[in-house]
Amino acid sequence: MPLNCGIVGLPNVGKSTLFNALTSSQNAQVANYPFCTIEPNFGIVIIPDTRLDELVKIYNPKKTVPSTIEFVDIAGLVKNASKGEGLGNQFLAQIRLVDAIIHIVRCFEDENITHVSADINPENDIDVVEIELILKDLETLNKRIESVSKNIKTGEKKLQHDLDILKGLQDHLNKLRLARYFIENLNEEEKNSIKDLYLLTDKPVLYVANVDDHSLEGNKYSDVVKRIAEKEKEEFLIMSVEMESEIAQIETTEERQEYLEELGLRQPGLHKLINEAYRLLNLITFFTVSEKEVHSWTVHKGIKAQQAAGEIHTDFEKGFIRAEIMKHDDLIKYGSEHALKEKGLIHVEGKDYLVEDGDIIYYRFNV
């Protein structure tokens, strides 16, 4: 499933360091000067999922396939990016292609790391990025309004209705509010009239407060980011990107776990970030299991059983007969499929069954 999260923020806030930690690589160049990153870096990251590990223990398969998500490291934005400042148009075009945004905000002091405005001010930093996204959306929207206005002379009622929606969104953006807060109040037909605009501010956002390793519980700067996230009804996470980078470089799982325990942490902050990104994209996981392969599949929340079958193979969807459903927690509790059958915990469902996160599915089909 080609869904991804773009890592955005001002220059020198930790975007590339985070990307390298997420992907366990050094693909993104890191340096103490703005625009170190020019071209976007792409990386596929495995979703940490203990449920998959538990299923592997039961089935001992020859092959295990986890779910993944793609992250994109996008160069830092600056004021007037929407007018081309700092190669802004190029970077904004890259943001248009992602499905969700991880917005990293600098929440630490360090005189050795340059800040583009020479001042640690999370609220201002967030405003700079988001205002540039809004201004670019206004530019896109104004072109559409001009085009629709020219065609409105045909007298088509739908065009007039579309124009009213576009102008309402224009007024909303002019108040420097993100597009998604206007669009979320539209019905499906109205949303379709602006869907193909691919607006930059119609994407879910996770704010990441990048703190030093002494402020994992937060500080005065991260408190500002948290307040903004709550106001915007967006997700929020505190993490030390530098510390996560160090953890990611530890070679063995055992050594990594020992280091986490020394720090008083149960899991790396990266795991929280990856799982938050997964939820941000409104994704869930179902599993197919056998001694040959345990496979984790990524689908949108709300998908029906027959559609989900198509993720495995188009023949499964075309020839769908039924889906036999086991719940992950039931299987772990009772230890085997045989035990679930005896207790009547394997359910037979039709094509309209809504797949739930953690379902284990056997598909019956005929082509």
Side-chain angles (χ1 to χ4, degrees):
M1 178 171 289
L3 292 176
N4 54 28
C5 289
I7 303 173
V8 307
L10 294 181
N12 285 4
V13 296
K15 298 184 302 301
S16 295
T17 302
L18 175 61
F19 177 84
N20 286 338
L22 282 165
T23 56
S24 299
S25 72
Q26 295 300 316
N27 292 336
Q29 186 180 356
V30 178
N32 183 28
Y33 55 83
F35 309 117
C36 172
T37 301
I38 300 296
E39 296 297 327
N41 297 295
F42 299 86
I44 302 295
V45 177
I46 292 174
I47 305 298
D49 195 335
T50 57
R51 298 173 301 182
L52 184 67
D53 300 332
E54 291 168 338
L55 292 174
V56 168
K57 289 179 182 178
I58 292 175
Y59 289 90
N60 191 26
K62 295 178 181 178
K63 183 180 180 182
T64 303
V65 183
S67 290
T68 60
I69 188 172
E70 184 179 58
F71 286 88
V72 186
D73 174 33
I74 297 172
L77 293 172
V78 294
K79 190 173 182 180
N80 294 322
S82 58
K83 297 178 182 178
E85 189 74 25
L87 298 180
N89 285 326
Q90 178 182 332
F91 301 158
L92 288 165
Q94 293 160 6
I95 296 173
R96 195 179 301 281
L97 299 177
V98 303
D99 301 289
I101 290 174
I102 309 294
H103 187 164
I104 301 188
V105 186
R106 178 170 171 173
C107 294
F108 64 88
E109 297 177 358
D110 188 335
E111 61 184 17
N112 295 315
I113 300 178
T114 306
H115 189 287
V116 289
S117 63
D119 181 35
I120 309 302
N121 186 331
E123 184 169 14
N124 181 68
D125 291 356
I126 290 172
D127 281 346
V128 168
V129 172
E130 293 190 343
I131 287 173
E132 293 307 316
L133 299 183
I134 288 170
L135 291 175
K136 195 64 180 179
D137 277 350
L138 272 169
E139 180 183 315
T140 301
L141 186 62
N142 290 338
K143 290 178 181 177
R144 174 61 61 85
I145 288 174
E146 182 180 352
S147 174
V148 174
S149 297
K150 289 180 180 177
N151 294 324
I152 204 76
K153 297 174 184 178
T154 62
E156 186 180 338
K157 289 184 178 180
K158 185 182 183 306
L159 283 180
Q160 182 59 59
H161 183 58
D162 290 349
L163 184 60
D164 291 341
I165 294 170
L166 292 169
K167 287 187 174 180
L169 177 56
Q170 184 185 49
D171 290 341
H172 176 87
L173 291 173
N174 277 324
K175 295 174 184 175
L176 299 182
R177 296 291 294 151
L178 305 181
R180 62 184 309 217
Y181 304 120
F182 177 87
I183 294 171
E184 67 185 8
N185 294 315
L186 302 178
N187 60 40
E188 287 306 310
E189 183 181 349
E190 291 169 336
K191 288 178 181 178
N192 286 335
S193 67
I194 55 178
K195 186 176 181 179
D196 63 344
L197 290 173
Y198 300 104
L199 297 173
L200 301 173
T201 60
D202 185 28
K203 301 177 187 291
V205 176
L206 168 63
Y207 292 99
V208 176
N210 183 14
V211 300
D212 57 55
D213 57 8
H214 300 295
S215 304
L216 297 180
E217 298 300 319
N219 57 29
K220 63 181 182 180
Y221 299 124
S222 66
D223 287 346
V224 174
V225 182
K226 182 179 181 181
R227 175 175 56 78
I228 292 171
E230 289 174 345
K231 176 187 174 185
E232 302 293 350
K233 298 179 182 178
E234 299 288 8
E235 299 298 325
F236 165 75
L237 188 65
I238 297 174
M239 67 188 303
S240 168
V241 170
E242 186 62 34
M243 188 180 76
E244 293 298 329
S245 177
E246 294 172 3
I247 294 172
Q249 292 174 37
I250 299 175
E251 292 187 2
T252 69
T253 303
E254 292 75 15
E255 289 177 322
R256 195 179 300 124
Q257 193 57 44
E258 286 178 10
Y259 185 56
L260 287 171
E261 289 174 2
E262 290 176 9
L263 296 172
L265 301 174
R266 293 174 54 192
Q267 62 176 330
L270 289 179
H271 286 191
K272 295 180 183 178
L273 174 63
I274 295 167
N275 285 313
E276 285 292 340
Y278 202 65
R279 285 191 287 271
L280 201 65
L281 292 168
N282 201 29
L283 301 175
I284 60 172
T285 299
F286 76 90
F287 303 95
T288 52
V289 294
S290 69
E291 292 180 357
K292 182 180 179 181
E293 178 181 280
V294 170
H295 201 305
S296 175
W297 300 92
T298 299
V299 292
H300 278 293
K301 187 176 182 180
I303 195 171
K304 294 181 180 180
Q306 185 173 12
Q307 293 173 288
E311 294 294 323
I312 302 172
H313 197 285
T314 54
D315 286 349
F316 281 36
E317 184 174 8
K318 292 176 183 177
F320 178 92
I321 298 173
R322 65 180 183 273
E324 297 173 7
I325 312 289
M326 294 185 291
K327 298 299 181 182
H328 167 269
D329 290 350
D330 289 340
L331 182 59
I332 300 306
K333 180 178 180 180
Y334 295 106
S336 71
E337 293 180 29
H338 179 72
L340 294 190
K341 287 179 182 177
E342 287 188 337
K343 294 183 177 296
L345 292 174
I346 298 180
H347 307 281
V348 177
E349 301 289 351
K351 63 181 181 180
D352 292 328
Y353 169 76
L354 294 178
V355 176
E356 295 182 358
D357 189 45
D359 278 351
I360 301 166
I361 307 179
Y362 281 109
Y363 280 107
R364 305 297 181 184
F365 70 102
N366 182 26
V367 178

